[in-house]
Amino acid sequence: MKTKSQELFKKAKRYIPGGVNSPVRAGKAVGIDPPFIARAQGCTLWDADGNPYIDYVSSWGPMILGHAHPDVINALTNAIQRGTSYGAPTELEVEMAELIVTMVPSIDRVRMVNSGTEATMSAIRLARGITGRNKIIKFDGCYHGHGDSLLVEAGSGVATFGIPGSPGVPEDLARQTISLPFNNLAAVEETFQRFGDDIAALIVEPVPGNMGVVVPQPNFLRGLRDLTRSYRSILIFDEVITGFRLSRGGAQEYFNITPDLTCLGKIIGGGLPVGAFGGKRDLMARLAPDGDVYQAGTLSGNPLAMAAGLATLRILNQPDVYSTLEQRSNMFFSGLKSAAQEAGIPVMINRVESMGSLFFCDSPVTDFAGAKKSDAGMFKRYYTSMLEQGVYLAPSPFEATFLSLAHTEEVIGKTLDFAAKAFRSHL
Ligand code: KE4
């Protein structure tokens, strides 16, 4: 007997490539037919068959308050009475920009867009327009959306030109991007020594969440700041995940490093499609209509998205939010480590505040090469056991697990019991 989700997946594949609107949702890495989600509240999802799940995906990061938070629902309910889109400036956009400038240390001016991809794509164009240079440095395992310049994999050796990460990305463009091992400052220094006067920007997830979570080693981010400054390249922090996740001011506040441009997304939309990029006044002044670097968007600053994002950020500005998230996250991830150890399963856990990852390996994971050593079979069995017990994890080892304010100690305790059972089943 097929479940409703299975029937929906079969029908979806008749109309949507792969049956999904974003590849990772198809669950290919774990070989499952994905649950189709019908509704969500707090930290719970319900699928089309009415099965409940404790959600640790949080829509890939945005739902830091939990799903359907009453303040967000009220803000949207009020906003929608006034229409859905005007294609004109609104007061809500000004309020959002003011709040982001207030909260994020390095941002004097900010431009709203509709996704993280648009944010990083626009920041790269702005950096190239400002510097008149072409090359970009990124890091293996870091994901910055699907813009052509950033869907690039590492070349054959360190500090060599990138190769297309997908068919359709022109080789000539991929060669302008150099992808290096994360946490390897020597490789970055060597690359700047070789190409420094043609490097427009270095873009980095200050705490990568797309190879699983990897923690920057002491002085790595500071080293990137020093190198980009001395070669007059633009340092771009892709804070689409870490923005408002690690602290009110994101990773740049958490690590006290000031980038030149910052990309934002996810949390600032409160679950609606929003991205943003911002930075110092003189850099952002180069953007049209005042400047000559073009960037635009029909729905940029959409009033519904601004209403949901403002409601979310206002709650994150309340006292004790991040200390509560830290306490709950520490309980979850340290409990996970203990449960694995008790079952004799070798795991490494990387965590910063409320984003973390579990790797099935016995050596520290400090870059993508290390992350790829995690046992894929064990992950698949762990994922399946947790899903069967009603815990919804990201269906890939190269994603982050997110805690929200809706994950109570009771829910975390239950999750840890399920994880202990999964580990005991000798993955
Ligand atoms: P979007 O275009 O998907 O809104 O954002 C792209 C992006 C940019 N930068 C970082 C650091 C990101 O993590 C992302 C998107 N994250 C992925 C999962 N980690 C989104 C999930 C998906 O692709 O379906």
Side-chain angles (χ1 to χ4, degrees):
M1 172 76 171
K2 277 189 178 297
T3 64
K4 183 97 170 64
S5 281
Q6 287 171 325
E7 285 167 11
L8 284 168
F9 194 37
K10 184 165 179 276
K11 183 174 181 182
K13 284 190 268 196
R14 279 172 40 202
Y15 303 110
I16 307 169
V20 291
N21 281 311
S22 198
V24 70
R25 301 176 192 172
K28 278 191 180 292
V30 289
I32 54 136
D33 284 349
F36 275 55
I37 303 304
R39 67 185 180 93
Q41 177 74 43
C43 64
T44 308
L45 303 170
W46 285 268
D47 69 15
D49 298 277
N51 302 307
Y53 301 89
I54 305 170
D55 177 25
Y56 287 92
V57 177
S58 283
S59 184
W60 308 97
M63 311 319 293
I64 194 168
L65 305 183
H67 294 279
H69 188 285
D71 289 21
V72 176
I73 299 297
N74 290 339
L76 282 169
T77 306
N78 293 333
I80 210 161
Q81 313 300 331
R82 299 192 290 274
T84 54
S85 178
Y86 320 125
T90 67
E91 184 177 2
L92 279 174
E93 288 168 294
V94 178
E95 283 181 50
M96 173 61 97
E98 183 180 27
L99 193 49
I100 290 173
V101 166
T102 309
M103 292 174 76
V104 185
S106 67
I107 295 183
D108 296 336
R109 295 282 187 284
V110 61
R111 169 68 57 89
M112 304 310 296
V113 294
N114 301 281
S115 69
T117 295
E118 275 189 69
T120 58
M121 193 174 75
S122 305
I124 293 290
R125 182 180 312 129
L126 179 58
R128 284 172 163 156
I130 289 168
T131 61
R133 300 175 178 180
N134 296 317
K135 284 191 176 39
I136 301 291
I137 294 176
K138 71 175 286 291
F139 292 94
D140 309 340
C142 283
Y143 176 71
H144 304 288
H146 60 91
D148 281 351
S149 283
L150 293 164
L151 266 190
V152 171
E153 289 171 1
S156 54
V158 168
T160 55
F161 304 130
I163 53 178
S166 161
V169 175
E171 283 198 18
D172 287 351
L173 186 60
R175 288 171 62 83
Q176 297 299 337
T177 302
I178 297 168
S179 193
L180 300 174
F182 187 76
N183 273 326
N184 185 334
L185 201 55
V188 181
E189 188 155 20
E190 179 193 344
T191 304
F192 270 105
Q193 284 164 356
R194 288 176 61 185
F195 306 109
D197 57 3
D198 190 27
I199 294 176
L202 179 149
I203 186 168
V204 64
E205 292 180 69
V207 177
N210 287 289
M211 50 178 120
V213 172
V214 169
V215 183
Q217 288 176 342
N219 301 321
F220 178 66
L221 296 176
R222 170 63 55 202
L224 299 183
R225 176 65 284 178
D226 293 345
L227 280 166
T228 46
R229 185 167 283 130
S230 58
Y231 284 88
R232 302 167 65 76
S233 296
I234 303 270
L235 176 61
I236 303 173
F237 268 15
D238 176 350
E239 296 223 42
V240 168
I241 286 182
T242 56
F244 311 104
R245 166 75 53 188
L246 301 191
S247 75
R248 279 176 192 80
Q252 56 196 269
E253 179 178 276
Y254 191 83
F255 294 107
N256 191 26
I257 304 275
T258 303
D260 300 306
L261 293 177
T262 299
C263 301
L264 299 167
K266 295 184 192 276
I267 287 172
I268 61 170
L272 271 70
V274 180
F277 65 107
K280 292 297 171 222
R281 183 178 182 166
D282 59 324
L283 301 182
M284 296 299 284
R286 288 293 303 273
L287 279 174
D290 294 345
D292 52 354
V293 178
Y294 196 71
Q295 185 279 331
T298 303
L299 293 168
S300 297
N302 171 270
L304 302 188
M306 294 300 99
L310 278 165
T312 300
L313 295 189
R314 285 171 180 147
I315 291 170
L316 294 177
N317 259 323
Q318 288 171 3
D320 305 329
V321 161
Y322 289 94
S323 54
T324 303
L325 276 168
E326 170 53 25
Q327 183 265 327
R328 305 270 176 82
S329 303
N330 180 49
M331 174 185 173
F332 177 74
F333 288 100
S334 54
L336 214 49
K337 177 90 175 171
S338 306
Q341 282 171 335
E342 277 160 34
I345 306 280
V347 297
M348 282 286 155
I349 288 186
N350 288 349
R351 170 177 85 90
V352 180
E353 299 292 317
S354 57
M355 63 185 280
S357 292
L358 176 149
F359 299 93
F360 288 102
C361 59
D362 52 11
S363 48
V365 177
T366 60
D367 60 14
F368 195 28
K372 287 189 275 193
K373 289 182 185 143
S374 180
D375 186 307
M378 288 181 96
F379 176 82
K380 184 171 173 178
R381 293 189 291 275
Y382 169 67
Y383 175 86
T384 307
S385 170
M386 294 292 267
L387 189 68
E388 285 166 357
Q389 297 184 83
V391 179
Y392 191 80
L393 301 173
S396 159
F398 303 129
E399 294 292 350
T401 294
F402 295 109
L403 274 287
S404 80
L405 287 171
H407 288 88
T408 61
E409 292 190 4
E410 183 195 357
V411 163
I412 293 168
K414 274 201 298 190
T415 309
L416 293 173
D417 292 342
F418 294 145
K421 191 173 170 205
F423 291 135
R424 280 198 302 272
S425 64
H426 299 300
L427 293 175

Coordinates of all heavy atoms in Angstrom, one line a residue, residues 64 207 213 215 241-242 244-248 250-251 253-255 320-334 349-357 401-404:
I64 N 14.6 29.5 12.7 CA 15.3 29.5 14.0 C 14.3 29.8 15.1 O 14.6 29.4 16.3 CB 16.4 30.6 13.9 CG1 17.4 30.5 15.1 CG2 15.8 32.0 13.9 CD1 18.6 31.3 15.0
V207 N 31.6 30.0 8.8 CA 31.5 28.6 9.4 C 30.7 27.8 8.3 O 29.5 27.9 8.2 CB 30.7 28.6 10.7 CG1 30.5 27.1 11.2 CG2 31.4 29.4 11.8
V213 N 29.1 20.8 9.0 CA 29.7 22.0 9.7 C 31.1 21.8 9.9 O 31.6 20.7 10.4 CB 28.9 22.3 11.0 CG1 29.6 23.4 11.7 CG2 27.4 22.6 10.7
V215 N 34.5 23.9 11.6 CA 34.9 25.1 12.4 C 36.2 25.7 11.9 O 37.1 25.0 11.7 CB 35.0 24.6 13.9 CG1 35.3 25.8 14.8 CG2 33.8 23.9 14.3
I241 N 23.8 31.2 5.9 CA 23.5 30.3 7.1 C 23.8 31.0 8.4 O 23.0 31.0 9.3 CB 24.2 29.0 7.0 CG1 23.6 28.1 5.9 CG2 24.2 28.2 8.3 CD1 24.3 26.7 5.7
T242 N 25.0 31.5 8.5 CA 25.5 32.0 9.9 C 24.8 33.3 10.3 O 24.8 33.6 11.5 CB 27.0 32.2 9.8 OG1 27.4 33.1 8.8 CG2 27.7 30.8 9.6
F244 N 22.6 35.9 11.8 CA 21.6 35.9 12.8 C 21.4 34.5 13.4 O 20.5 34.3 14.2 CB 20.2 36.4 12.2 CG 20.3 37.7 11.5 CD1 20.3 37.7 10.1 CD2 20.5 38.9 12.2 CE1 20.4 38.9 9.4 CE2 20.7 40.1 11.5 CZ 20.6 40.1 10.1
R245 N 22.3 33.5 13.0 CA 22.3 32.2 13.5 C 23.3 32.1 14.7 O 23.0 31.6 15.7 CB 22.6 31.2 12.4 CG 22.9 29.7 12.8 CD 21.8 28.9 13.3 NE 20.6 28.7 12.5 CZ 19.6 28.1 13.0 NH1 19.5 27.6 14.2 NH2 18.5 27.9 12.2
L246 N 24.5 32.6 14.4 CA 25.6 32.4 15.4 C 25.4 33.5 16.5 O 25.9 33.3 17.6 CB 27.0 32.5 14.8 CG 27.2 31.4 13.7 CD1 28.7 31.5 13.4 CD2 26.8 30.1 14.2
S247 N 24.9 34.7 16.1 CA 24.7 35.8 17.1 C 23.9 36.8 16.3 O 23.6 36.6 15.1 CB 26.0 36.4 17.5 OG 26.6 37.2 16.4
R248 N 23.5 37.9 17.0 CA 22.7 38.9 16.3 C 23.5 39.5 15.1 O 22.9 39.8 14.1 CB 22.4 40.1 17.3 CG 21.3 39.8 18.2 CD 21.1 40.9 19.2 NE 20.1 40.4 20.2 CZ 20.5 39.6 21.2 NH1 21.7 39.2 21.3 NH2 19.6 39.2 22.0
G250 N 25.8 37.8 13.5 CA 26.3 36.6 12.7 C 27.7 36.2 13.1 O 28.2 36.5 14.2
A251 N 28.4 35.6 12.1 CA 29.8 35.1 12.4 C 30.8 36.3 12.5 O 31.7 36.2 13.3 CB 30.2 34.2 11.2
E253 N 30.4 39.1 14.0 CA 30.4 39.5 15.4 C 30.9 38.5 16.2 O 31.7 38.7 17.1 CB 28.9 39.9 15.8 CG 28.8 40.3 17.2 CD 27.3 40.7 17.6 OE1 26.9 41.8 17.3 OE2 26.6 39.8 18.1
Y254 N 30.5 37.2 16.0 CA 31.0 36.1 16.8 C 32.5 36.0 16.8 O 33.1 35.7 17.9 CB 30.3 34.8 16.2 CG 30.5 33.6 17.1 CD1 29.6 33.4 18.2 CD2 31.5 32.7 16.9 CE1 29.7 32.2 19.0 CE2 31.6 31.5 17.7 CZ 30.7 31.3 18.7 OH 30.8 30.2 19.5
F255 N 33.1 36.1 15.6 CA 34.6 36.0 15.5 C 35.3 37.3 15.5 O 36.5 37.4 15.4 CB 35.0 35.2 14.3 CG 34.5 33.8 14.3 CD1 33.4 33.3 13.5 CD2 35.1 32.8 15.1 CE1 33.0 32.0 13.5 CE2 34.7 31.5 15.1 CZ 33.6 31.1 14.3
D320 N 18.4 37.0 25.9 CA 18.5 35.6 26.3 C 18.2 34.6 25.1 O 18.3 33.4 25.3 CB 17.5 35.2 27.4 CG 17.8 36.1 28.6 OD1 19.0 36.5 28.8 OD2 16.8 36.4 29.4
V321 N 17.9 35.1 23.9 CA 17.6 34.2 22.8 C 18.8 33.3 22.5 O 18.7 32.1 22.4 CB 17.2 35.0 21.5 CG1 17.3 34.2 20.3 CG2 15.8 35.6 21.7
Y322 N 20.0 33.9 22.3 CA 21.1 33.1 21.9 C 21.7 32.3 23.0 O 22.2 31.2 22.8 CB 22.2 34.1 21.3 CG 21.7 34.6 19.9 CD1 21.1 35.8 19.8 CD2 21.8 33.8 18.8 CE1 20.6 36.3 18.6 CE2 21.4 34.3 17.6 CZ 20.7 35.5 17.5 OH 20.2 35.9 16.3
S323 N 21.5 32.7 24.3 CA 22.0 31.9 25.4 C 21.1 30.7 25.5 O 21.6 29.6 25.8 CB 22.0 32.7 26.7 OG 20.8 33.3 26.9
T324 N 19.8 30.9 25.3 CA 18.9 29.7 25.3 C 19.2 28.7 24.1 O 19.3 27.5 24.4 CB 17.4 30.2 25.1 OG1 17.1 31.1 26.1 CG2 16.5 29.0 25.1
L325 N 19.5 29.3 22.9 CA 19.8 28.4 21.8 C 21.1 27.6 22.1 O 21.2 26.4 21.8 CB 20.0 29.2 20.5 CG 18.7 29.6 19.8 CD1 19.0 30.6 18.7 CD2 18.1 28.3 19.1
E326 N 22.1 28.3 22.7 CA 23.4 27.7 23.0 C 23.2 26.6 24.0 O 23.7 25.4 23.8 CB 24.4 28.7 23.5 CG 25.7 28.1 24.1 CD 26.4 27.2 23.2 OE1 26.2 27.3 21.9 OE2 27.2 26.3 23.7
Q327 N 22.4 26.8 25.0 CA 22.2 25.8 26.1 C 21.5 24.6 25.5 O 21.9 23.4 25.7 CB 21.3 26.4 27.2 CG 21.1 25.5 28.4 CD 19.7 24.8 28.3 OE1 18.7 25.4 27.7 NE2 19.6 23.6 28.8
R328 N 20.5 24.8 24.7 CA 19.7 23.7 24.1 C 20.6 22.9 23.1 O 20.6 21.7 23.0 CB 18.5 24.2 23.3 CG 17.6 25.0 24.1 CD 16.5 24.2 24.8 NE 15.7 25.1 25.6 CZ 14.6 25.8 25.2 NH1 14.4 25.8 23.9 NH2 13.9 26.6 26.0
S329 N 21.4 23.7 22.3 CA 22.3 23.0 21.3 C 23.4 22.2 22.0 O 23.7 21.1 21.5 CB 22.9 24.1 20.4 OG 21.9 24.9 19.8
N330 N 23.9 22.7 23.1 CA 25.0 22.0 23.8 C 24.4 20.7 24.3 O 25.0 19.6 24.2 CB 25.5 22.8 25.0 CG 26.6 22.1 25.8 OD1 27.5 21.6 25.2 ND2 26.4 22.1 27.1
M331 N 23.1 20.8 24.9 CA 22.5 19.5 25.4 C 22.3 18.5 24.3 O 22.6 17.3 24.4 CB 21.1 19.9 25.9 CG 20.3 18.7 26.4 SD 18.6 19.2 26.9 CE 17.9 17.6 27.1
F332 N 21.9 19.0 23.1 CA 21.7 18.1 22.0 C 22.9 17.4 21.4 O 23.1 16.2 21.4 CB 21.0 18.8 20.8 CG 20.7 18.0 19.6 CD1 19.7 17.0 19.6 CD2 21.5 18.1 18.5 CE1 19.5 16.2 18.5 CE2 21.3 17.3 17.3 CZ 20.3 16.4 17.3
F333 N 23.9 18.2 21.1 CA 25.1 17.7 20.5 C 26.0 16.9 21.4 O 26.6 15.9 21.1 CB 25.9 18.8 19.7 CG 25.2 19.3 18.5 CD1 24.5 20.5 18.5 CD2 25.3 18.6 17.3 CE1 23.8 20.9 17.4 CE2 24.6 19.0 16.2 CZ 23.9 20.2 16.2
S334 N 26.1 17.4 22.7 CA 26.9 16.6 23.6 C 26.2 15.3 24.0 O 26.8 14.2 24.1 CB 27.2 17.4 24.9 OG 26.0 17.8 25.5
I349 N 31.9 15.3 16.1 CA 30.8 16.3 16.0 C 31.4 17.7 16.0 O 32.2 18.0 16.8 CB 29.8 16.2 17.3 CG1 29.0 14.9 17.1 CG2 28.9 17.4 17.4 CD1 27.9 14.6 18.1
N350 N 31.1 18.4 15.0 CA 31.5 19.8 14.8 C 30.3 20.7 15.1 O 29.2 20.4 14.5 CB 32.0 20.1 13.4 CG 33.3 19.5 13.1 OD1 34.0 19.0 14.0 ND2 33.7 19.4 11.8
R351 N 30.5 21.7 15.9 CA 29.3 22.6 16.2 C 29.8 24.0 16.5 O 30.8 24.2 17.1 CB 28.6 22.1 17.4 CG 27.5 23.0 18.0 CD 26.7 22.5 19.1 NE 27.4 22.7 20.4 CZ 27.1 23.8 21.2 NH1 26.4 24.8 20.7 NH2 27.7 23.8 22.4
V352 N 29.0 25.0 16.1 CA 29.2 26.4 16.5 C 27.7 26.8 16.8 O 26.9 26.9 15.9 CB 29.8 27.3 15.5 CG1 29.9 28.7 16.0 CG2 31.2 26.8 15.0
E353 N 27.5 27.1 18.1 CA 26.2 27.5 18.6 C 25.1 26.5 18.1 O 25.3 25.3 18.3 CB 25.9 29.0 18.0 CG 26.9 30.0 18.5 CD 26.7 30.3 20.0 OE1 25.6 30.4 20.5 OE2 27.8 30.4 20.7
S354 N 24.1 27.0 17.3 CA 23.0 26.1 17.1 C 23.0 25.5 15.7 O 22.0 25.0 15.1 CB 21.6 26.9 17.2 OG 21.7 28.0 16.3
M355 N 24.2 25.4 15.1 CA 24.4 24.6 13.9 C 25.5 23.6 14.1 O 26.6 23.9 14.7 CB 24.7 25.5 12.7 CG 26.0 26.3 12.8 SD 26.2 27.5 11.4 CE 26.8 26.4 10.1
G356 N 25.3 22.4 13.7 CA 26.3 21.4 13.9 C 26.1 20.2 13.0 O 25.1 20.1 12.3
S357 N 27.1 19.3 13.0 CA 27.1 18.1 12.2 C 27.7 16.9 12.9 O 28.7 17.1 13.7 CB 27.8 18.3 10.8 OG 27.1 19.2 10.1
T401 N 22.8 20.4 10.9 CA 21.6 20.2 11.8 C 21.4 21.5 12.5 O 22.4 22.1 13.0 CB 21.9 19.0 12.8 OG1 22.1 17.8 12.0 CG2 20.8 18.9 13.8
F402 N 20.2 21.9 12.5 CA 19.9 23.2 13.2 C 18.9 23.0 14.3 O 17.9 22.3 14.3 CB 19.2 24.1 12.1 CG 20.1 24.5 11.0 CD1 19.8 24.0 9.7 CD2 21.1 25.4 11.2 CE1 20.6 24.4 8.6 CE2 21.9 25.8 10.1 CZ 21.7 25.3 8.8
L403 N 19.2 23.7 15.5 CA 18.3 23.8 16.6 C 17.5 25.1 16.5 O 18.0 26.1 15.9 CB 19.1 23.8 17.9 CG 19.4 22.4 18.5 CD1 18.2 21.7 19.1 CD2 20.2 21.5 17.6
S404 N 16.3 25.1 17.0 CA 15.5 26.4 17.0 C 15.0 26.6 18.4 O 15.2 25.8 19.3 CB 14.3 26.2 16.1 OG 13.3 25.4 16.8

